Amino acid sequence: MDDGVSSPRVLPLASVGADDLPAVGGKGANLGELVAAGLPVPPGFVVTTAAYRAHASAAGLDPAAAAADPARARDLLTRTPLAPATRHGIAAALTDLGPEGTRVAVRSSATAEDLPGAAFAGQQDTFLDVTGTDEELDAVRRCWASLWTDRAVAYRQRQGIGPEEVAIAVVVQRMVPAQAAGVLFTANPLTGRRAELVVDAAPGLGDAVVSGEVTPEHLVVGRDGAVRSVLPRYEGASRVLSDAAAAQLAALAVRAEGHFSGLAGEEVPQDIEWALADGRISLVQARPMTALPPEPPELGRIQRTVGPFFLEMFAVRPYPLDVTGWLARGVLPMLDLMAGSIGVRFPPLGQVIREREGFPLQLVPPRPRPSLPMVGAPLSLARRARRYDVRRWTADPLLAEFDAAVAALEAEDPAALPWPDLVRRVDRCNASLEPVARIRVRYLPSAFVPFAPLRLLLAALGLGRLASPLVAGERTRTRDGNDALESLAGVVRADPELARAAAGPDPAEFLRAVRHRPEFAGFAAELDAFLAEYGHRESVSVLLATAPTWRDDPTPVAAILMSLAAAPPEGPMPDRAAEALSELLAHPLLRPRRAAAAARAVVGACRRGLAFREDTHFHAARLLPPLRHTFLELGRRLSEVDALAAPEDVFHLRFEELAALADPVVMDDAEAARVRGLAARRARLRREYAGVPMLDPGLFAPARAGADAAGALLSGTPASGGVAEGPVRVVSGPEAFASLRAGEVLVCPNTNPSWTPLFARAAAVVVDTGGLGSHAAIVAREYGVPAVMATGHGTSALRDGQRVRVDGTRGRVDLL
């Protein structure tokens, strides 16, 4: 540890900059840069990290021990007297700031704070209006001690920053006697729009705004300084920040952003703290904005149409290995083959998933483009529709080819493969998807061509409202799996001991009981049989090969069983599809035998088409377990040589990076450190953007007008008709499946097939994302459950226990 003898313990703020970050911390370095840029910054000085290290050494503080016992570390730092050299240096610098009694702000400036991806906002302490040398010296020691607050230690652990990597400086500045103060973001932190500067302002000192103790005035300002909107602190409140002051602040903020962007060589939006006194604005802090959404893409009509589908597929951010080891090598070639069969081209994956340093940052719904072969598409579609009848697709030799490929992969032990063969196994998994793609190319025409005459028929008869229930009656593998789960739940209900175990609050505990209690061995065998047939289903999205399937982690299955077993099965559900068909055939124009037969035929063809789409999806997902196990074996071998901290960290790597690595058994320490550092950097980015969606769902929430929206708490896409009432149950993910009870309204952020067994108990379904063609919509129609999709923010607008009415026909949710 540096004893601080050879390094300066106090430096003028005007003398430091970005290169001095190890000595003055993030806040000090950034303020020094603002001074260098000629921006108005209150004068001050920095008590450097050398002074902290000398003090910590004198106190006998060990970083690892301090992280384990932060309270003791704080006590050591506050009760140890300051070294005379440090005391005298601070006292002399205070004299330069002004006469005795000058008020100062004393702010912590850790070496790991105010950096891109790690703001450390509020983790260390700040003290305002400090007067007198003794009080100021005590504030410096308390700032040092705040490096070891419980919250700061936990924050660093989450960021992957070791205790030995950080030190702390202290910035001391003359106080600004602020009439108003607050924060400004040089980009909209919610939408990512760079043209909008967002300001929060309140009377007095700015710490009340930063700490969240007051409701500030909220302004949106253009980069030209024009105020676009003002939200007052409360109704009738006078303005805190005038238009002129807002324009002055905006000009300073744009200059500050430009300075830091010039240093970085790229755009670096800033989070700036400011104070207004006597008509003059001072900047008291600047740091890069963290977790800033990318600029929203401009979407065309087609992109807005397909956007909800893709948003549902990417409701969880993919890992770099998902994008490069599955989407780019398996899924996208499948889509290209299907689209190419009708003369349509998809954009490159890099235009659909925008990245930052190899990290998937933003989803841009694709805009397929026509190509010359599209001229012959109608003839090609007609030829395939005649040749390949969707009723016979399961007998196609391509399905047998796919079955054989999957069986071969599942019979193989990845741990027994040499490294080069293990890497090649990823491509073998992806190549195995091709038969499914070719099946879809062959049979999609006969599956979906009938939808055109059905729409025309319903439009001519004025029965368009029957479209959804009419096509929902066909049996699917998803429905088979749901029924199998209901059957297992029946076994649980019938066995008092099983039912007692399932009545607990923890699905993992229920699963352990099933696995380990001898009296449950029979049920465990039935569960294993279910997982063997259906356990390849995705728990998140078929586009994410890194997420565990039901077979990898049956906890969601246990949660579903607990929910289903909590109440006796309801009577036979109404057959909405049969009811809709009866209503259609009752129309006078369809009473003739031939007309009725033609209508039945087109409805049956449409039902088979939807089932074909669902069942080919079911089969494609069978590749997820072998592919994920390959990824994890690659990660295991890298973790064995310390190139990764854990096998799952391999998900942060791109496939081409893995393919370029030599066998880990011959990897040297430098290469292992490089790989470990690469995975750690992307892991930090993933944590930073954990709360930022791949794309704002609000872009697709349909605008409602007139009676459909009047008085509605929420509106969205009508996805499954009918009206139902019940208490809300917000379920954010599979871990909460067991919380849903019969008759509750299921409110969730997104769905996939693993959610659909819950629909047997839900009174209605309300989803943030998705559209008419999503799994949730299709299965809700099968079950006759009212559903509203694409509400945008249902999970945040609704709370558990609220009673609501869900109108799946009109796409609205009302609070009762």
Side-chain angles (χ1 to χ4, degrees), residues 485-551:
L485 279 168
E486 184 59 68
S487 177
L488 286 174
V491 175
V492 174
R493 289 189 213 100
D495 184 320
E497 287 300 315
L498 265 174
R500 193 172 297 112
D506 185 359
E509 183 60 36
F510 173 52
L511 186 62
R512 279 193 292 273
V514 169
R515 295 291 193 208
H516 299 299
R517 288 175 59 174
E519 64 270 32
F520 296 158
F523 180 75
E526 291 186 63
L527 177 60
D528 286 341
F530 169 84
L531 292 173
E533 185 166 1
Y534 300 103
H536 62 274
R537 292 314 307 247
E538 66 270 27
S539 59
V540 177
S541 167
V542 74
L543 302 185
L544 304 184
T546 59
T549 63
W550 283 355
R551 200 177 296 156

Side-chain angles (χ1 to χ4, degrees), residues 388-542:
Y388 298 108
D389 188 334
V390 74
R391 287 173 290 192
R392 295 191 293 272
W393 79 270
T394 55
D396 194 302
L398 286 173
L399 184 58
E401 179 184 335
F402 175 75
D403 288 340
V406 173
L409 288 167
E410 291 189 335
E412 187 175 64
D413 180 9
L417 296 176
W419 177 264
D421 290 347
L422 186 62
V423 173
R424 283 192 287 269
R425 181 178 154 95
V426 173
D427 279 331
R428 286 171 51 210
C429 289
N430 283 297
S432 298
L433 189 60
E434 184 182 346
V436 176
R438 291 166 60 196
I439 285 173
R440 282 196 159 187
V441 168
R442 288 180 176 180
Y443 294 93
L444 275 176
S446 69
F448 286 100
V449 166
F451 281 83
L454 178 62
R455 287 197 181 96
L456 289 173
L457 174 65
L458 294 177
L461 301 180
L463 294 174
R465 60 185 172 77
L466 296 180
S468 292
L470 272 176
V471 299
E474 196 75 5
R475 196 78 193 177
T476 65
R477 296 296 285 145
T478 298
R479 182 65 180 266
D480 291 343
N482 293 351
D483 288 351
L485 279 168
E486 184 59 68
S487 177
L488 286 174
V491 175
V492 174
R493 289 189 213 100
D495 184 320
E497 287 300 315
L498 265 174
R500 193 172 297 112
D506 185 359
E509 183 60 36
F510 173 52
L511 186 62
R512 279 193 292 273
V514 169
R515 295 291 193 208
H516 299 299
R517 288 175 59 174
E519 64 270 32
F520 296 158
F523 180 75
E526 291 186 63
L527 177 60
D528 286 341
F530 169 84
L531 292 173
E533 185 166 1
Y534 300 103
H536 62 274
R537 292 314 307 247
E538 66 270 27
S539 59
V540 177
S541 167
V542 74

Side-chain angles (χ1 to χ4, degrees), residues 242-626:
S242 68
D243 284 2
Q248 181 190 159
L249 175 59
L252 294 174
V254 169
R255 283 177 58 194
E257 181 190 83
H259 178 76
F260 287 109
S261 297
L263 290 176
E266 62 180 354
E267 180 188 58
V268 186
Q270 295 290 302
D271 169 355
I272 295 170
E273 294 182 25
W274 55 272
L276 173 65
D278 299 324
R280 184 174 184 270
I281 288 176
S282 297
L283 307 185
V284 298
Q285 184 170 327
R287 60 188 174 213
M289 293 181 67
T290 55
L292 177 65
E295 185 86 33
E298 295 295 329
L299 302 180
R301 182 178 58 82
I302 294 177
Q303 289 172 297
R304 289 189 178 278
T305 300
V306 303
F309 168 78
F310 282 92
L311 189 62
E312 186 176 48
M313 292 292 100
F314 287 100
V316 173
R317 189 180 303 278
Y319 283 91
L321 195 51
D322 285 311
V323 175
T324 58
W326 172 232
L327 295 180
R329 311 177 85 81
V331 176
L332 191 60
M334 176 179 177
L335 293 178
D336 284 339
L337 188 63
M338 292 163 56
S341 72
I342 56 171
V344 172
R345 292 181 178 174
F346 269 88
L349 189 58
Q351 294 180 19
V352 178
I353 298 179
R354 293 176 179 171
E355 297 182 339
R356 172 183 167 188
E357 300 174 29
F359 169 78
L361 190 61
Q362 184 183 48
L363 169 67
V364 180
R367 184 169 56 188
R369 297 185 181 276
S371 63
L372 187 59
M374 188 177 240
V375 176
L379 182 61
S380 172
L381 286 169
R383 186 185 305 116
R384 278 179 277 153
R386 285 195 304 270
R387 182 176 179 183
Y388 298 108
D389 188 334
V390 74
R391 287 173 290 192
R392 295 191 293 272
W393 79 270
T394 55
D396 194 302
L398 286 173
L399 184 58
E401 179 184 335
F402 175 75
D403 288 340
V406 173
L409 288 167
E410 291 189 335
E412 187 175 64
D413 180 9
L417 296 176
W419 177 264
D421 290 347
L422 186 62
V423 173
R424 283 192 287 269
R425 181 178 154 95
V426 173
D427 279 331
R428 286 171 51 210
C429 289
N430 283 297
S432 298
L433 189 60
E434 184 182 346
V436 176
R438 291 166 60 196
I439 285 173
R440 282 196 159 187
V441 168
R442 288 180 176 180
Y443 294 93
L444 275 176
S446 69
F448 286 100
V449 166
F451 281 83
L454 178 62
R455 287 197 181 96
L456 289 173
L457 174 65
L458 294 177
L461 301 180
L463 294 174
R465 60 185 172 77
L466 296 180
S468 292
L470 272 176
V471 299
E474 196 75 5
R475 196 78 193 177
T476 65
R477 296 296 285 145
T478 298
R479 182 65 180 266
D480 291 343
N482 293 351
D483 288 351
L485 279 168
E486 184 59 68
S487 177
L488 286 174
V491 175
V492 174
R493 289 189 213 100
D495 184 320
E497 287 300 315
L498 265 174
R500 193 172 297 112
D506 185 359
E509 183 60 36
F510 173 52
L511 186 62
R512 279 193 292 273
V514 169
R515 295 291 193 208
H516 299 299
R517 288 175 59 174
E519 64 270 32
F520 296 158
F523 180 75
E526 291 186 63
L527 177 60
D528 286 341
F530 169 84
L531 292 173
E533 185 166 1
Y534 300 103
H536 62 274
R537 292 314 307 247
E538 66 270 27
S539 59
V540 177
S541 167
V542 74
L543 302 185
L544 304 184
T546 59
T549 63
W550 283 355
R551 200 177 296 156
D552 296 322
D553 179 12
T555 306
V557 176
I560 293 170
L561 290 173
M562 292 168 69
S563 176
L564 296 178
E570 300 175 359
M573 290 182 298
D575 191 339
R576 297 285 176 84
E579 292 172 1
L581 183 58
S582 295
E583 184 176 348
L584 174 65
L585 297 177
H587 194 281
L589 292 178
L590 296 182
R591 285 175 184 166
R593 184 182 304 171
R594 287 188 177 181
R600 286 181 184 275
V602 74
V603 168
C606 290
R607 290 178 176 178
R608 290 190 294 273
L610 279 182
F612 168 75
R613 193 200 84 167
E614 184 69 20
D615 286 351
T616 50
H617 175 116
F618 174 89
H619 283 287
R622 291 166 59 192
L623 286 170
L624 293 177

Side-chain angles (χ1 to χ4, degrees), residues 10 53 103 228 398 400 534 731 740:
V10 177
R53 288 193 171 101
R103 296 181 177 276
R228 298 183 178 181
L398 286 173
Y534 300 103
V731 179
L740 183 74

Side-chain angles (χ1 to χ4, degrees), residues 33 43 48 77 115 161 202 243 297 324 385 423 425 494 553 660 673 783 799:
E33 287 295 337
T48 67
L77 291 170
L115 305 176
I161 299 171
D243 284 2
T324 58
V423 173
R425 181 178 154 95
D553 179 12
Y783 280 81
R799 301 189 308 275

